[in-house]
Amino acid sequence: MGGAVVGGRLMRRRGALVLACALGLPPATGALVFGLSGATDLAMGQPLVWAAPSVTLAEAVAMRDRSEIAGQILLGADPNIRYRMRDYLSAGRVVMVTPLEAAVATGDIGLVESLMEQGATVDDTTRRPLRCFAIRRNADAIDQLLADGATEAPSCDGIRPPW
Amino acid sequence: MIGPGEAPTQRGAAIAGALLAVLVALSLAGDVYRIPVQVSDSLDLIERAHELPSVGAAFMDGLTSSSRKFRPLRTMQTKLLLEMAVRAGGRYHLVFRGFHVLLVVLLVALFWHLVGGGTWADVAALALGFAVLTGMHTFTGLLREAFPINMFLLVIVCGLSLLALARTRGGWAVDTIAAAVFAIGVLTLESGLLIGVVAVAAYVGGLRGVSRRGLAAIMILGVIYLVVRIGFLDITASIVRLEGTGYLTRWLSGDEQIRQFGQPPVGLYLYTSAMSLLSVVLSQPEAGRWTVAVAYLNGTVPPVFWLEMGTSLAATLLLVWYAVSKQDDGLRRWRDPVVLVFLVTLIANAVLSATYAKDEIISFAGTFFALAVATAASHALRRACFLGPAAAVALACVLAVASCGWTMRAAGLHFKLRHGAFDARSEWAAVLSPRDAGQVRDPQRLELVTRLREEAMLRRTVAPSQLPRWAERWWGED
């Protein structure tokens, strides 16, 4: 009789444990993962889950991440040199492009203007290829912005985009 | 929730409960601290507070600066934090987001305290409670927005504090603190009136920590608040939400609201209140608009709707079962203080949302919903001990599915807060740009804004394009 009572209690306790685990384990696991991620974020500046991967200035432009562009230029990144770019313009390939070239490739005139405001320059050497990339992208407004008053379309013979 | 003497406290369970609370607090703190101080609805107030000579002047400015809003403590707290940041060497992010994190920690600690964690059943219920709290659709906006103080979060912390005070043995000190908590809440945000509702409901539910004397003090403060606000300062809420509000499957502009419902649009108020109430227990509609119906009419219903509505329905059914079940004395459990406080705040919160349906506003009731669900879950686990093996296995499967669903929703919060951090940082990209040159600032203000911008720019956030593409289907857009 006593054994049956003890056995019944044990069964109940085991059942209660199973139910508690079914209810509590999934959220507790989630709390563990994101709790550790949050602690890493607070201690080291980047979380474990969905950390911001390191990107070059050109990649930030390709992603249209205006805040990252401004942040990198604030930290001293030069908007007039070539940067490595992975995947963003051509899948699986690494290419070297300037931030302005990446901006022209996006077709976003606001991005081009923003870069020029932040120090990206267009000179006689870079104007023609940039305009050709814009024409190839059917971005007439960007072409006009880069033309700087010139009315003739540039000759694009021999100019190939790096992506 | 365990009353004294109901079940012996297990040391391991108590430690596990505390550890769980720490993990949840860390997860939220990391997300919140990553979000830069916002530009929209925030920078203007920071600049204005910066120009005010003292904290007292900021309070007076908050009394009279708006004909629609009466939030003097908001300006005062902003000024206070600004002064602290200046003393800390211009570390505005540290102080403003540090205060935000402090509120998050208080929220988690109070939630843990109110649910309790004395037994393993309580710990499991606490884990679910945290998932419901953080996975609720009302929580994302609540945690994300700070103008520049997170007023909604402050008011919720005050509301939970009042419930915790009501569970104490009481006394003069408790009554005084309760009145002070109410005053802080109500002078920070209009939703602070709900703190008084919590006090009354807790008393009706049998909690005597805040005595009749304390309740009287809160009510007198409430009357003074209304007399000063409406009688002396003539500050009243807008008749319609000019930005628009949801109605069935449409979005009505301010003009459309009046054209369709008259002025004041009483019918729309009733609809908005009812839908705000429903949104807490069903996760639909959103700001009065049945977005699930819109998605259906558009041909595809993404999984986020099934996830949100399914898990909310499961939690609501658990709560309904608990509320209608009987205690040993034969009375039904809807009189349980936590359940009663939830029901009353849900109705009061819905009424308060009549002119303006917004997740952040109804998040007060959402928090008490999570608390009530955790209480019901704890009770359900104790009752389930007496089930037969087959029924226990079946119940375990149901609980696991519902729990996984809420865990998924809670994970979505972190995803959405990454979006929030990106958006807040992006806003700074345009500030102080040559296009922003029309905005004239004196040298001191310019220095302040420059520093705030620098802090935002140097805090890297993941871009939405770098986040998994499947996530928006399961967690929705912002």
Side-chain angles (χ1 to χ4, degrees):
Chain A
M1 183 71 180
V5 171
V6 172
R9 274 188 195 157
L10 270 175
M11 284 294 288
R12 277 209 297 275
R13 187 174 276 189
R14 196 169 292 173
L17 189 65
V18 169
L19 289 171
C21 287
L23 188 72
L25 266 187
T29 307
L32 180 66
V33 170
F34 285 102
L36 291 177
S37 176
T40 313
D41 196 356
L42 290 171
M44 299 164 73
Q46 278 296 326
L48 290 177
V49 183
W50 298 318
S54 177
V55 292
T56 64
L57 182 57
E59 287 168 341
V61 172
M63 288 190 295
R64 305 175 194 213
D65 185 349
R66 287 173 162 78
S67 54
E68 183 62 23
I69 297 165
Q72 292 206 14
I73 291 176
L74 192 71
L75 282 172
D78 186 345
N80 293 303
I81 61 172
R82 291 187 180 279
Y83 290 90
R84 191 189 65 228
M85 171 132 65
R86 297 155 292 194
D87 284 338
Y88 296 98
L89 294 178
S90 49
R93 278 183 60 207
V94 176
V95 292
M96 298 295 286
V97 292
T98 66
L100 265 182
E101 287 171 347
V104 171
T106 65
D108 184 341
I109 188 167
L111 212 48
V112 178
E113 287 173 332
S114 170
L115 275 171
M116 290 168 76
E117 285 165 6
Q118 293 178 80
T121 53
V122 182
D123 56 26
D124 291 342
T125 318
T126 56
R127 191 181 316 277
R128 191 167 73 97
L130 282 171
R131 287 190 65 192
C132 290
F133 301 156
I135 290 166
R136 190 184 157 99
R137 180 77 175 71
N138 295 322
D140 294 342
I142 294 179
D143 178 41
Q144 283 176 16
L145 175 74
L146 296 169
D148 194 26
T151 51
E152 288 179 15
S155 162
C156 294
D157 293 340
I159 293 183
R160 288 176 175 276
W163 53 89
Chain B
M1 186 183 301
I2 303 176
E6 267 185 36
T9 298
Q10 296 167 337
R11 190 177 163 76
I15 292 171
L19 192 62
L20 190 62
V22 169
L23 286 171
V24 171
L26 278 172
S27 70
L28 299 178
D31 286 339
V32 163
Y33 198 73
R34 176 146 295 283
I35 304 174
V37 174
Q38 289 165 208
V39 173
S40 56
D41 293 328
S42 186
L43 185 58
D44 284 347
L45 180 63
I46 290 176
E47 289 189 66
R48 199 171 75 235
H50 182 68
E51 296 212 322
L52 295 168
S54 66
V55 174
F59 181 82
M60 295 310 292
D61 180 76
L63 280 177
T64 54
S65 59
S66 169
S67 61
R68 296 273 175 229
K69 293 167 184 168
F70 182 61
R71 300 168 182 173
L73 281 190
R74 178 193 176 203
T75 319
M76 194 179 117
Q77 288 163 16
T78 304
K79 179 65 181 172
L80 200 62
L81 293 183
L82 269 175
E83 292 200 346
M84 287 171 67
V86 169
R87 282 185 196 151
R91 301 180 73 182
Y92 298 99
H93 183 92
L94 173 75
V95 173
F96 276 95
R97 284 305 177 205
F99 183 64
H100 198 156
V101 167
L102 176 69
L103 290 176
V104 166
V105 171
L106 284 173
L107 172 79
V108 172
L110 283 163
F111 194 88
W112 169 43
H113 170 71
L114 288 166
V115 175
T119 65
W120 287 106
D122 287 334
V123 174
L126 179 67
L128 178 73
F130 276 134
V132 175
L133 174 74
T134 58
M136 283 279 287
H137 61 291
T138 57
F139 197 74
T140 309
L142 163 71
L143 207 60
R144 181 175 156 172
E145 307 292 351
F147 305 128
I149 307 288
N150 193 322
M151 303 173 288
F152 292 100
L153 188 53
L154 181 69
V155 166
I156 287 173
V157 166
C158 289
L160 290 177
S161 304
L162 214 127
L163 184 57
L165 287 169
R167 288 177 57 191
T168 63
R169 291 183 180 178
W172 274 100
V174 170
D175 288 341
T176 309
I177 295 170
V181 163
F182 174 74
I184 289 170
V186 88
L187 291 176
T188 301
L189 187 68
E190 290 76 3
S191 298
L193 287 168
L194 294 170
I195 300 165
V197 174
V198 171
V200 174
Y203 189 88
V204 173
L207 300 178
R208 294 290 183 267
V210 178
S211 68
R212 283 189 183 187
R213 183 181 55 212
L215 285 185
I218 287 172
M219 283 179 185
I220 289 168
L221 286 173
V223 170
I224 292 172
Y225 167 83
L226 291 173
V227 168
V228 170
R229 179 187 167 125
I230 300 167
F232 285 95
L233 299 172
D234 196 23
I235 299 172
T236 49
S238 306
I239 292 173
V240 294
R241 188 188 173 201
L242 297 174
E243 300 94 328
T245 190
Y247 178 68
L248 299 177
T249 56
R250 291 184 297 146
W251 191 256
L252 299 180
S253 68
D255 288 340
E256 285 172 326
Q257 291 169 46
I258 292 172
R259 205 179 310 133
Q260 190 163 342
F261 292 94
Q263 189 172 15
V266 178
L268 185 64
Y269 289 170
L270 290 172
Y271 171 83
T272 306
S273 288
M275 294 306 112
S276 294
L277 188 149
L278 206 55
S279 74
V280 174
V281 294
L282 196 63
S283 291
Q284 277 285 315
E286 291 176 29
R289 187 164 180 247
W290 288 88
T291 48
V292 64
V294 174
Y296 177 76
L297 292 172
N298 287 339
T300 49
V301 181
V304 59
F305 290 110
W306 302 115
L307 178 69
E308 289 192 350
M309 293 177 69
T311 49
S312 286
L313 194 62
T316 302
L317 287 175
L318 173 68
L319 192 52
V320 169
W321 166 80
Y322 179 69
V324 299
S325 67
K326 288 183 178 173
Q327 299 171 174
D328 293 340
D329 56 12
L331 295 173
R332 294 197 187 276
R333 286 197 169 81
W334 61 264
R335 290 178 178 83
D336 178 303
V338 172
V339 178
L340 190 63
V341 166
F342 161 63
L343 292 173
V344 174
T345 51
L346 177 64
I347 294 166
N349 208 168
V351 170
L352 212 61
S353 306
T355 58
Y356 191 0
K358 188 178 174 185
D359 281 350
E360 288 89 317
I361 296 176
I362 202 73
S363 62
F364 194 94
T367 304
F368 283 91
F369 175 73
L371 198 57
V373 167
T375 305
S378 177
H379 176 75
L381 283 179
R382 285 203 204 104
R383 284 281 299 270
C385 297
F386 300 99
L387 292 174
V393 169
L395 182 63
C397 292
V398 172
L399 289 179
V401 169
S403 182
C404 285
W406 275 108
T407 304
M408 183 74 178
R409 286 183 72 172
L413 169 75
H414 304 289
F415 171 81
K416 289 177 185 171
L417 289 178
R418 295 285 193 283
H419 269 256
F422 177 82
D423 293 345
R425 188 179 183 227
S426 297
E427 285 183 334
W428 282 104
V431 176
L432 296 180
S433 69
R435 280 174 235 184
D436 191 40
Q439 180 102 4
V440 180
R441 291 186 170 97
D442 67 45
Q444 275 195 327
R445 282 174 81 162
L446 187 63
E447 190 184 333
L448 168 76
V449 176
T450 305
R451 177 69 188 141
L452 280 164
R453 183 176 187 269
E454 273 177 13
E455 287 189 321
M457 291 294 98
L458 298 181
R459 189 161 290 278
R460 293 189 56 230
T461 56
V462 62
S465 59
Q466 293 168 317
L467 289 168
R469 290 182 188 274
W470 55 265
E472 280 190 5
R473 285 179 52 75
W474 281 91
W475 291 320
E477 294 165 16
D478 281 334

